């Protein structure tokens, strides 16, 4: 069974950087075809895909946020990291990580972590 | 840029009745489409992938169909636990639709 858990700060000031961690079990990011995704959801709004990182360290980003996003992994610790720079109150959202196997749909999700951007 | 639209925005259905949700893609995405259910306060849950394949453990009251640009999710015999927002997603570029909120009439 795959499990994922997001963690990070709950409050970030505008213009700062936000780094979130996804800690997972039941999969290996060293295995061909595996990848993890980051998705966010502002309160009361729709889901927004942010980024993907593959087993071979290939990465994909949402075009609208690409200049502010980075994603990295540490397979030895079963962790993936998302950094969003220069945050703004519009970045206030619940941030999810999800398992993305072999180019398919996102089959397992974490519970999400709520981040508020405010001074 | 590719995008998805969903209709209706809100759907009110009586218990036991059928709910029909639509998702339209701005270009041909073949059958690279998934449906997710998000109950209040919970993360999304995968219902359907490849447009029509139920994910493991999903009730057969949920069925998906369609291809290219037009897709449908049907929920048969609506139950109270089906009250949720339903999102479609294309996994060529991973974008989501805006969602359809299903409520009980």
């Amino acid at each position: 069974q795959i499990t994922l858990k997001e963690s990070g700060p709950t409050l970030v000031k505008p213009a700062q950087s936000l780094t979130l961690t996804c800690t997972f079990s039941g999969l290996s990011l060293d295995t061909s075809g595996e990848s993890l995704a980051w998705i966010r959801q502002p309160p009361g709004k729709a889901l927004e895909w942010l980024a993907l990182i593959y087993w071979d360290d290939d990465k994909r980003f949402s075009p609208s946020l690409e200049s502010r996003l980075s994603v990295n992994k540490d397979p030895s610790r079963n962790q993936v990291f998302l950094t969003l720079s220069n945050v703004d109150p519009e970045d206030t959202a619940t941030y999810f990580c999800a398992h993305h196997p072999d180019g398919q749909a996102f089959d397992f999700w974490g519970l999400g972590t709520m981040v508020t951007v405010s001074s | 840029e590719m995008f998805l639209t969903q209709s209706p925005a809100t759907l009110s259905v009586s218990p036991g009745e059928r709910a029909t949700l639509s998702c339209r893609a701005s270009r041909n995405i073949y059958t690279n489409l998934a449906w997710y259910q998000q109950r209040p306060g919970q993360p999304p849950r995968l219902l359907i992938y490849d447009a029509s394949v139920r994910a493991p453990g999903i009730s057969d009251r949920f069925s998906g169909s369609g291809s290219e640009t037009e897709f449908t999710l049907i929920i048969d015999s609506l139950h109270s636990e089906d009250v949720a927002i339903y999102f479609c997603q294309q996994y060529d570029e991973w974008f989501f639709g805006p969602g359809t909120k299903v409520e009980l009439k």
Side-chain angles (χ1 to χ4, degrees), chain B residues 40-93:
Chain B
Q42 295 188 16
R45 176 175 71 144
L46 178 64
L47 296 177
I48 301 285
Y49 64 94
D50 290 350
S52 63
V53 181
R54 269 189 300 275
I58 299 301
S59 168
D60 60 5
R61 295 187 300 103
F62 292 90
S63 62
S65 64
S67 64
E68 297 187 3
T69 61
E70 299 282 344
F71 302 88
T72 301
L73 175 70
I74 290 176
I75 311 171
D76 273 323
S77 185
L78 197 81
H79 293 178
S80 58
E81 69 251 29
D82 301 330
V83 169
I85 301 175
Y86 293 82
F87 295 97
C88 59
Q89 181 206 26
Q90 57 84 20
Y91 39 93
D92 282 348
E93 297 174 47

Side-chain angles (χ1 to χ4, degrees), chain A residues 61-81:
Chain A
F61 298 100
S62 168
S64 63
L65 291 165
E66 185 167 9
S67 63
R68 298 169 53 210
L69 283 171
S70 64
V71 62
N72 293 285
K73 61 182 173 67
D74 185 345
S76 66
R77 294 167 59 190
N78 283 357
Q79 290 182 325
V80 169
F81 311 98

Side-chain angles (χ1 to χ4, degrees), chain A residues 41 49 52 100 103-104 106 110, chain B residues 36 38 43-44 50 89 91 94:
Chain A
Q41 187 174 36
W49 169 72
L52 274 171
H100 176 52
Q104 295 298 311
F106 299 169
Chain B
Y36 300 86
Q38 188 178 30
D50 290 350
Q89 181 206 26
Y91 39 93
W94 309 287

